[in-house]
Amino acid sequence: MAPTTVTAPACGSAARPPLLTRPLMLRFVSMIGASVSFFLLLSVVPAYATASGAGPATGALMLSTVLGELAAPRFVTRYGYRVALIAGLALLGAPALVLTVSHSLAWIVLVCLVRGLGFALTLVAGGALTASLIPAERRGEGLALVGVVSGVPSLIALPLGVWLAAHVGCTPVAVAAGVAALAAVASVPGLPDREATSEKPVGMVAALRTGALARPAIVFATTALATGIIVTFLPLAVPAAASGVVAVALFTQPAASTAARWAAGRYGDRHGPARLVLPSLLLSAGGMLITAFTGSPVAVVAGVAVFGVGFGIAQNATLTLMYARVPASGYGTVSALWNLAYDGGMGVGAVGFGTLAGPAGYAAAFAITGALMLVALVPAVRDLRTPASKG
Protein backbone atom coordinates (compact mmCIF):
# COMPACT_ATOMS: atom_id res chain seq x y z
CA MET A 1 0.00 0.00 0.00
CA ALA A 2 1.31 3.43 -0.90
CA PRO A 3 -0.12 5.94 1.60
CA THR A 4 -1.17 9.30 0.25
CA THR A 5 0.07 12.58 1.59
CA VAL A 6 -2.15 15.30 2.96
CA THR A 7 -1.75 18.93 2.06
CA ALA A 8 -3.14 21.49 4.45
CA PRO A 9 -5.48 24.01 2.85
CA ALA A 10 -4.44 27.62 2.78
CA CYS A 11 -5.30 29.61 5.86
CA GLY A 12 -7.28 32.12 3.88
CA SER A 13 -9.39 29.63 1.97
CA ALA A 14 -12.83 31.18 1.58
CA ALA A 15 -14.93 28.36 0.16
CA ARG A 16 -14.95 25.79 2.94
CA PRO A 17 -17.40 22.93 2.42
CA PRO A 18 -20.22 22.57 4.96
CA LEU A 19 -19.56 20.26 7.88
CA LEU A 20 -23.03 19.58 9.29
CA THR A 21 -24.62 17.85 6.31
CA ARG A 22 -27.83 15.83 6.52
CA PRO A 23 -26.01 12.47 6.22
CA LEU A 24 -23.61 13.37 9.04
CA MET A 25 -26.42 14.50 11.31
CA LEU A 26 -28.30 11.29 10.50
CA ARG A 27 -25.15 9.34 11.35
CA PHE A 28 -25.18 11.00 14.78
CA VAL A 29 -28.37 9.05 15.56
CA SER A 30 -26.72 5.64 15.28
CA MET A 31 -23.62 6.99 17.00
CA ILE A 32 -25.60 8.17 20.03
CA GLY A 33 -27.68 4.98 20.10
CA ALA A 34 -24.59 2.76 20.19
CA SER A 35 -22.85 4.90 22.80
CA VAL A 36 -25.87 5.02 25.12
CA SER A 37 -26.47 1.27 24.76
CA PHE A 38 -22.86 0.36 25.53
CA PHE A 39 -22.23 2.70 28.45
CA LEU A 40 -25.58 2.27 30.20
CA LEU A 41 -24.60 -1.30 30.98
CA LEU A 42 -20.82 -0.98 31.24
CA SER A 43 -20.80 -0.72 35.04
CA VAL A 44 -24.21 -2.31 35.62
CA VAL A 45 -23.33 -5.75 34.20
CA PRO A 46 -20.37 -6.34 36.55
CA ALA A 47 -22.61 -5.49 39.51
CA TYR A 48 -25.33 -7.79 38.18
CA ALA A 49 -22.77 -10.57 37.79
CA THR A 50 -21.68 -10.03 41.43
CA ALA A 51 -18.09 -9.73 42.58
CA SER A 52 -17.10 -13.23 41.50
CA GLY A 53 -18.38 -12.69 37.96
CA ALA A 54 -17.50 -9.04 37.43
CA GLY A 55 -14.06 -9.78 36.02
CA PRO A 56 -15.16 -12.48 33.54
CA ALA A 57 -18.09 -10.34 32.37
CA THR A 58 -16.00 -7.24 31.66
CA GLY A 59 -13.14 -9.35 30.32
CA ALA A 60 -15.47 -11.09 27.86
CA LEU A 61 -16.87 -7.77 26.69
CA MET A 62 -13.47 -6.22 26.03
CA LEU A 63 -11.97 -9.39 24.53
CA SER A 64 -14.78 -9.75 22.00
CA THR A 65 -14.57 -6.03 21.22
CA VAL A 66 -10.87 -6.31 20.38
CA LEU A 67 -11.37 -9.50 18.36
CA GLY A 68 -14.30 -7.88 16.59
CA GLU A 69 -12.20 -4.87 15.70
CA LEU A 70 -9.65 -7.16 14.07
CA ALA A 71 -12.30 -8.91 11.95
CA ALA A 72 -14.56 -5.94 11.20
CA PRO A 73 -12.60 -4.38 8.31
CA ARG A 74 -13.02 -7.51 6.18
CA PHE A 75 -16.74 -7.65 7.05
CA VAL A 76 -17.15 -3.99 6.05
CA THR A 77 -15.27 -4.57 2.80
CA ARG A 78 -17.53 -7.46 1.88
CA TYR A 79 -20.93 -6.14 2.99
CA GLY A 80 -20.60 -2.36 3.14
CA TYR A 81 -21.14 0.25 5.82
CA ARG A 82 -24.90 -0.06 6.24
CA VAL A 83 -25.11 -3.83 6.64
CA ALA A 84 -22.17 -3.81 9.05
CA LEU A 85 -23.65 -0.96 11.08
CA ILE A 86 -27.09 -2.58 11.25
CA ALA A 87 -25.50 -5.88 12.30
CA GLY A 88 -23.47 -4.11 14.96
CA LEU A 89 -26.45 -2.27 16.43
CA ALA A 90 -28.51 -5.48 16.43
CA LEU A 91 -25.78 -7.50 18.16
CA LEU A 92 -25.31 -4.72 20.68
CA GLY A 93 -29.00 -4.18 21.41
CA ALA A 94 -30.80 -7.53 21.16
CA PRO A 95 -28.72 -9.39 23.79
CA ALA A 96 -29.25 -6.53 26.24
CA LEU A 97 -33.00 -7.15 26.15
CA VAL A 98 -32.51 -10.67 27.49
CA LEU A 99 -29.57 -10.05 29.83
CA THR A 100 -31.58 -10.52 33.01
CA VAL A 101 -33.41 -13.65 31.83
CA SER A 102 -30.79 -15.61 33.75
CA HIS A 103 -28.35 -14.86 36.56
CA SER A 104 -26.00 -17.60 35.34
CA LEU A 105 -22.44 -16.40 34.82
CA ALA A 106 -22.24 -18.39 31.59
CA TRP A 107 -25.30 -16.54 30.26
CA ILE A 108 -23.93 -13.14 31.28
CA VAL A 109 -20.57 -13.87 29.65
CA LEU A 110 -22.32 -15.02 26.46
CA VAL A 111 -24.34 -11.79 26.34
CA CYS A 112 -21.18 -9.76 26.87
CA LEU A 113 -19.34 -11.64 24.12
CA VAL A 114 -22.10 -10.95 21.59
CA ARG A 115 -22.44 -7.30 22.65
CA GLY A 116 -18.70 -6.79 22.35
CA LEU A 117 -18.76 -8.01 18.75
CA GLY A 118 -21.65 -5.67 18.03
CA PHE A 119 -19.89 -2.71 19.59
CA ALA A 120 -16.77 -3.44 17.54
CA LEU A 121 -18.79 -3.39 14.33
CA THR A 122 -20.41 -0.07 15.23
CA LEU A 123 -16.98 1.42 15.96
CA VAL A 124 -15.25 0.22 12.81
CA ALA A 125 -18.09 0.50 10.28
CA GLY A 126 -19.43 3.65 11.89
CA GLY A 127 -16.00 5.24 12.07
CA ALA A 128 -15.24 4.53 8.43
CA LEU A 129 -18.66 5.78 7.34
CA THR A 130 -18.27 8.94 9.40
CA ALA A 131 -14.87 9.66 7.86
CA SER A 132 -16.38 9.38 4.39
CA LEU A 133 -19.07 11.94 5.32
CA ILE A 134 -16.60 14.61 6.47
CA PRO A 135 -14.95 16.83 3.83
CA ALA A 136 -11.21 16.18 3.73
CA GLU A 137 -10.52 19.91 4.17
CA ARG A 138 -12.37 19.88 7.50
CA ARG A 139 -11.62 16.35 8.68
CA GLY A 140 -9.87 17.41 11.88
CA GLU A 141 -12.69 19.70 12.95
CA GLY A 142 -15.28 17.14 11.89
CA LEU A 143 -13.69 14.34 13.89
CA ALA A 144 -13.50 16.64 16.91
CA LEU A 145 -17.24 17.27 16.60
CA VAL A 146 -17.84 13.54 16.28
CA GLY A 147 -15.84 13.01 19.46
CA VAL A 148 -18.12 15.38 21.33
CA VAL A 149 -21.30 13.84 19.93
CA SER A 150 -20.22 10.32 20.91
CA GLY A 151 -18.49 11.34 24.14
CA VAL A 152 -21.24 13.31 25.85
CA PRO A 153 -23.78 10.43 25.79
CA SER A 154 -21.15 8.12 27.30
CA LEU A 155 -20.39 10.58 30.10
CA ILE A 156 -24.11 10.74 30.91
CA ALA A 157 -25.04 7.10 30.34
CA LEU A 158 -22.28 5.57 32.49
CA PRO A 159 -23.31 7.10 35.84
CA LEU A 160 -26.99 7.13 34.83
CA GLY A 161 -26.97 3.37 34.33
CA VAL A 162 -25.55 2.79 37.82
CA TRP A 163 -28.07 5.19 39.38
CA LEU A 164 -31.04 3.65 37.58
CA ALA A 165 -29.97 0.10 38.47
CA ALA A 166 -29.84 1.08 42.14
CA HIS A 167 -33.29 2.72 42.06
CA VAL A 168 -35.35 0.73 39.53
CA GLY A 169 -33.35 -2.47 39.02
CA CYS A 170 -31.15 -3.94 36.33
CA THR A 171 -33.90 -5.15 34.01
CA PRO A 172 -35.24 -1.68 33.04
CA VAL A 173 -31.67 -0.48 32.43
CA ALA A 174 -30.93 -3.51 30.24
CA VAL A 175 -34.12 -2.97 28.25
CA ALA A 176 -33.33 0.72 27.82
CA ALA A 177 -29.85 -0.16 26.56
CA GLY A 178 -31.30 -2.64 24.10
CA VAL A 179 -33.92 -0.23 22.81
CA ALA A 180 -31.33 2.56 22.37
CA ALA A 181 -29.31 0.46 19.95
CA LEU A 182 -32.20 -1.20 18.13
CA ALA A 183 -34.11 2.07 17.64
CA ALA A 184 -31.02 3.58 16.00
CA VAL A 185 -31.21 0.92 13.27
CA ALA A 186 -34.04 2.93 11.69
CA SER A 187 -31.59 5.72 10.81
CA VAL A 188 -29.12 3.52 8.93
CA PRO A 189 -31.01 3.00 5.61
CA GLY A 190 -30.89 6.77 5.09
CA LEU A 191 -27.10 6.77 5.17
CA PRO A 192 -24.92 6.39 2.07
CA ASP A 193 -23.16 3.06 1.63
CA ARG A 194 -19.56 2.37 0.75
CA GLU A 195 -18.97 3.31 -2.88
CA ALA A 196 -17.74 0.65 -5.27
CA THR A 197 -14.06 1.18 -6.01
CA SER A 198 -11.26 -0.51 -7.90
CA GLU A 199 -8.85 0.31 -5.08
CA LYS A 200 -7.45 -2.72 -3.27
CA PRO A 201 -8.73 -2.88 0.33
CA VAL A 202 -6.17 -2.18 3.03
CA GLY A 203 -5.90 -5.18 5.36
CA MET A 204 -4.96 -5.10 9.03
CA VAL A 205 -1.66 -6.92 8.44
CA ALA A 206 -0.70 -4.45 5.72
CA ALA A 207 -1.65 -1.54 7.97
CA LEU A 208 0.48 -2.83 10.84
CA ARG A 209 3.41 -3.18 8.45
CA THR A 210 2.97 0.35 7.10
CA GLY A 211 4.98 2.81 9.15
CA ALA A 212 2.85 5.77 8.13
CA LEU A 213 -0.09 4.13 9.93
CA ALA A 214 1.69 2.16 12.65
CA ARG A 215 3.71 5.09 14.01
CA PRO A 216 0.74 7.34 14.86
CA ALA A 217 -1.11 4.32 16.25
CA ILE A 218 1.81 3.52 18.58
CA VAL A 219 1.95 7.10 19.84
CA PHE A 220 -1.80 7.14 20.43
CA ALA A 221 -1.70 3.77 22.21
CA THR A 222 0.94 5.23 24.53
CA THR A 223 -1.28 8.15 25.51
CA ALA A 224 -4.30 5.82 25.85
CA LEU A 225 -2.21 3.68 28.20
CA ALA A 226 -2.02 6.63 30.60
CA THR A 227 -5.78 7.20 30.34
CA GLY A 228 -6.45 3.69 31.61
CA ILE A 229 -4.12 4.34 34.52
CA ILE A 230 -5.71 7.64 35.54
CA VAL A 231 -9.32 6.46 35.52
CA THR A 232 -8.44 3.22 37.33
CA PHE A 233 -5.83 4.20 39.90
CA LEU A 234 -6.12 7.91 40.63
CA PRO A 235 -8.89 7.35 43.23
CA LEU A 236 -6.56 4.89 44.99
CA ALA A 237 -3.42 6.99 44.70
CA VAL A 238 -4.75 10.23 46.18
CA PRO A 239 -4.88 10.33 50.01
CA ALA A 240 -8.34 9.63 51.42
CA ALA A 241 -8.43 13.06 53.08
CA ALA A 242 -8.32 14.66 49.61
CA SER A 243 -10.96 12.47 47.98
CA GLY A 244 -12.78 15.53 46.65
CA VAL A 245 -9.75 16.26 44.50
CA VAL A 246 -10.31 13.00 42.61
CA ALA A 247 -13.78 14.08 41.49
CA VAL A 248 -12.41 17.41 40.28
CA ALA A 249 -9.52 15.70 38.51
CA LEU A 250 -11.68 13.08 36.79
CA PHE A 251 -13.90 15.86 35.48
CA THR A 252 -10.97 18.06 34.45
CA GLN A 253 -9.26 15.39 32.38
CA PRO A 254 -12.10 14.65 29.89
CA ALA A 255 -13.07 18.33 29.79
CA ALA A 256 -9.52 19.31 28.86
CA SER A 257 -9.37 16.49 26.31
CA THR A 258 -12.59 17.59 24.63
CA ALA A 259 -11.46 21.23 24.36
CA ALA A 260 -8.01 20.22 23.10
CA ARG A 261 -9.49 17.79 20.58
CA TRP A 262 -11.56 20.57 19.08
CA ALA A 263 -8.65 23.03 18.98
CA ALA A 264 -6.37 20.38 17.45
CA GLY A 265 -8.93 19.67 14.75
CA ARG A 266 -9.15 23.30 13.70
CA TYR A 267 -5.38 23.71 13.77
CA GLY A 268 -4.77 20.47 11.89
CA ASP A 269 -7.17 21.40 9.10
CA ARG A 270 -5.19 24.59 8.49
CA HIS A 271 -1.63 23.47 9.07
CA GLY A 272 -1.70 19.66 8.90
CA PRO A 273 -2.08 17.23 11.82
CA ALA A 274 1.40 15.65 11.56
CA ARG A 275 3.12 18.39 13.53
CA LEU A 276 0.74 17.89 16.48
CA VAL A 277 1.62 14.25 17.22
CA LEU A 278 4.94 14.93 18.97
CA PRO A 279 3.61 17.77 21.19
CA SER A 280 0.66 15.57 22.17
CA LEU A 281 3.02 12.88 23.42
CA LEU A 282 5.19 15.34 25.35
CA LEU A 283 2.17 16.93 27.03
CA SER A 284 0.72 13.53 27.93
CA ALA A 285 3.98 12.31 29.46
CA GLY A 286 4.50 15.63 31.23
CA GLY A 287 1.03 15.43 32.73
CA MET A 288 1.75 12.00 34.15
CA LEU A 289 5.00 13.24 35.70
CA ILE A 290 3.17 16.14 37.37
CA THR A 291 0.42 13.82 38.60
CA ALA A 292 3.10 11.78 40.37
CA PHE A 293 2.97 14.38 43.19
CA THR A 294 -0.15 12.65 44.47
CA GLY A 295 0.03 14.36 47.87
CA SER A 296 -0.54 17.78 46.31
CA PRO A 297 -4.12 18.56 45.18
CA VAL A 298 -2.83 21.34 42.91
CA ALA A 299 -0.33 19.01 41.24
CA VAL A 300 -2.94 16.28 40.72
CA VAL A 301 -5.47 18.60 39.07
CA ALA A 302 -2.78 20.39 37.05
CA GLY A 303 -1.24 17.09 36.00
CA VAL A 304 -4.45 15.54 34.71
CA ALA A 305 -5.31 18.83 32.98
CA VAL A 306 -1.98 18.83 31.13
CA PHE A 307 -2.41 15.16 30.33
CA GLY A 308 -5.98 15.80 29.15
CA VAL A 309 -4.78 18.44 26.70
CA GLY A 310 -2.13 16.08 25.35
CA PHE A 311 -4.54 13.18 25.06
CA GLY A 312 -7.18 15.28 23.31
CA ILE A 313 -4.61 16.48 20.77
CA ALA A 314 -3.39 12.90 20.26
CA GLN A 315 -6.93 11.62 19.70
CA ASN A 316 -7.61 14.08 16.93
CA ALA A 317 -4.17 14.35 15.32
CA THR A 318 -3.44 10.64 15.05
CA LEU A 319 -6.85 9.68 13.68
CA THR A 320 -6.95 12.57 11.20
CA LEU A 321 -3.44 11.76 10.05
CA MET A 322 -4.15 8.07 9.58
CA TYR A 323 -7.29 8.73 7.53
CA ALA A 324 -5.34 11.15 5.35
CA ARG A 325 -2.75 8.48 4.58
CA VAL A 326 -5.11 5.90 3.07
CA PRO A 327 -7.63 5.86 0.22
CA ALA A 328 -11.31 5.57 1.08
CA SER A 329 -11.04 1.77 0.85
CA GLY A 330 -8.77 1.87 3.90
CA TYR A 331 -11.06 3.85 6.21
CA GLY A 332 -12.41 0.72 7.89
CA THR A 333 -8.92 -0.56 8.63
CA VAL A 334 -7.80 2.79 10.02
CA SER A 335 -10.88 2.90 12.25
CA ALA A 336 -10.12 -0.63 13.51
CA LEU A 337 -6.41 0.04 14.07
CA TRP A 338 -7.04 3.29 15.95
CA ASN A 339 -9.69 1.72 18.18
CA LEU A 340 -7.39 -1.22 18.85
CA ALA A 341 -4.71 1.24 19.95
CA TYR A 342 -7.26 2.89 22.25
CA ASP A 343 -8.63 -0.28 23.84
CA GLY A 344 -5.32 -2.11 23.94
CA GLY A 345 -3.48 0.88 25.39
CA MET A 346 -6.01 1.37 28.17
CA GLY A 347 -5.99 -2.33 29.04
CA VAL A 348 -2.22 -2.67 29.08
CA GLY A 349 -1.90 0.52 31.09
CA ALA A 350 -4.27 -0.62 33.81
CA VAL A 351 -2.72 -4.08 34.13
CA GLY A 352 0.90 -2.92 33.93
CA PHE A 353 0.46 -0.06 36.37
CA GLY A 354 -1.20 -2.33 38.89
CA THR A 355 1.80 -4.64 38.78
CA LEU A 356 4.24 -1.73 39.09
CA ALA A 357 2.42 0.16 41.84
CA GLY A 358 2.59 -2.76 44.27
CA PRO A 359 6.33 -2.68 44.92
CA ALA A 360 7.05 0.91 43.85
CA GLY A 361 4.07 2.82 45.27
CA TYR A 362 1.60 4.98 43.38
CA ALA A 363 3.66 8.18 43.21
CA ALA A 364 6.72 6.39 41.86
CA ALA A 365 4.58 4.36 39.44
CA PHE A 366 3.10 7.56 37.96
CA ALA A 367 6.59 9.02 37.54
CA ILE A 368 7.98 5.84 35.99
CA THR A 369 5.00 5.65 33.62
CA GLY A 370 5.55 9.25 32.49
CA ALA A 371 9.22 8.52 31.81
CA LEU A 372 8.48 5.26 29.98
CA MET A 373 5.97 7.03 27.74
CA LEU A 374 8.86 8.99 26.26
CA VAL A 375 10.00 5.80 24.53
CA ALA A 376 7.28 6.62 21.99
CA LEU A 377 9.38 9.65 21.01
CA VAL A 378 11.15 7.27 18.61
CA PRO A 379 8.13 6.68 16.31
CA ALA A 380 6.86 10.24 16.89
CA VAL A 381 10.10 11.90 15.78
CA ARG A 382 10.60 9.47 12.93
CA ASP A 383 7.09 10.13 11.69
CA LEU A 384 7.71 13.86 11.75
CA ARG A 385 10.88 13.46 9.69
CA THR A 386 9.63 10.83 7.24
CA PRO A 387 7.40 11.85 4.32
CA ALA A 388 4.12 9.94 4.53
CA SER A 389 4.45 8.75 0.96
CA LYS A 390 7.55 6.76 1.93
CA GLY A 391 5.76 4.79 4.64
Side-chain angles (χ1 to χ4, degrees), residues 171-357:
T171 298
V173 180
V175 171
V179 170
L182 294 175
V185 170
S187 69
V188 177
L191 294 169
D193 209 346
R194 190 172 64 89
E195 295 181 2
T197 176
S198 59
E199 297 170 340
K200 184 179 179 181
V202 181
M204 285 295 293
V205 175
L208 290 169
R209 290 177 175 175
T210 303
L213 297 179
R215 288 189 297 267
I218 291 171
V219 174
F220 178 60
T222 303
T223 63
L225 176 149
T227 303
I229 291 170
I230 287 175
V231 299
T232 304
F233 290 99
L234 191 64
L236 303 174
V238 173
S243 58
V245 175
V246 175
V248 175
L250 292 181
F251 173 81
T252 299
Q253 188 263 310
S257 294
T258 300
R261 194 171 182 177
W262 182 267
R266 292 182 63 85
Y267 180 91
D269 286 342
R270 289 159 175 78
H271 306 287
R275 64 182 69 183
L276 292 174
V277 175
L278 179 58
S280 74
L281 175 63
L282 292 174
L283 285 167
S284 298
M288 289 296 284
L289 290 171
I290 297 171
T291 307
F293 296 94
T294 54
S296 168
V298 174
V300 169
V301 175
V304 298
V306 172
F307 169 77
V309 171
F311 184 61
I313 295 172
Q315 282 181 296
N316 188 276
T318 56
L319 185 57
T320 305
L321 187 60
M322 291 166 70
Y323 276 132
R325 290 177 171 178
V326 296
S329 60
Y331 285 174
T333 299
V334 163
S335 179
L337 181 57
W338 189 85
N339 279 291
L340 275 172
Y342 201 160
D343 297 334
M346 288 189 68
V348 170
V351 173
F353 188 89
T355 302
L356 178 63

Side-chain angles (χ1 to χ4, degrees), residues 40-41 43-50 96-97 99-100 103 161-177:
L40 267 178
L41 287 178
S43 293
V44 171
V45 171
Y48 179 72
T50 71
L97 296 177
L99 169 67
T100 57
H103 220 111
V162 175
W163 185 88
L164 286 173
H167 289 79
V168 300
C170 291
T171 298
V173 180
V175 171

Side-chain angles (χ1 to χ4, degrees), residues 4 70 76 81 85 119-120 124 149 174 188 232 238 244 266 338 380:
T4 57
L70 287 170
V76 172
Y81 296 142
L85 190 53
F119 190 56
V124 175
V149 171
V188 177
T232 304
V238 173
R266 292 182 63 85
W338 189 85

